[in-house]
Every structure is written in structure tokens, then in C-alpha cells.
Amino acid sequence: MGKIPVRMKVVVYGLSPFQQKVMPGLWKDITTKIHHKVTENWISATLLLGPVVGTYQYAMWYKEQEKLSHRY
């Protein structure tokens, strides 16, 4: 079976130069939005960041111990 070319229409989307306020509510009261998200999902944030921070701290501690073991 051969492939048959299909004609497609080109659609171009653009913003009007007169439309200056695209998303005015996005940055409005951003601190309250961030606080709400953090307090709403603090368990998920803790479960995500806890192991990441713990692993990083262990790696830094191990690297330091390796450096100290070669000193003597």
C-alpha cells in the first residue's frame, strides 16, 4: 500500500499587539499561593526532600572522611 499525501491547512496563532495583559492573575499574590501549596502538600514535600537531603549529606560526610583517612 502506498502513502497518499494529505493536504493540511496551516494555522498560525498570535497575540494581538493591543492585548498587553495576557495572564494578569498569574503573579498576583504569588506569596500566598506558594504558602498555600506548601502547607497543603507538606507531607509530599517532606517525603521528597528528606531522602534527597539525607543522601547528599551522607555523600558529603563520606567524602570528608575519605579525605581525612589519607592524612595519616
Side-chain angles (χ1 to χ4, degrees), residues 1-62:
M1 292 205 141
K3 294 182 180 178
I4 302 171
V6 178
R7 287 187 157 246
M8 298 181 76
K9 291 183 179 180
V10 176
V11 179
V12 178
Y13 293 99
L15 290 175
S16 167
F18 303 108
Q19 184 69 24
Q20 296 296 322
K21 294 181 180 178
V22 179
M23 291 187 285
L26 184 64
W27 304 109
K28 187 185 241 183
D29 205 19
I30 191 79
T31 54
T32 305
K33 289 179 183 176
I34 291 173
H35 181 264
H36 179 68
K37 287 287 182 188
V38 169
T39 55
E40 188 177 275
N41 300 318
W42 67 271
I43 287 230
S44 298
T46 304
L47 292 176
L48 172 70
L49 292 177
V52 172
V53 171
T55 305
Y56 177 77
Q57 285 181 338
Y58 175 75
M60 291 297 110
W61 175 82
Y62 187 83

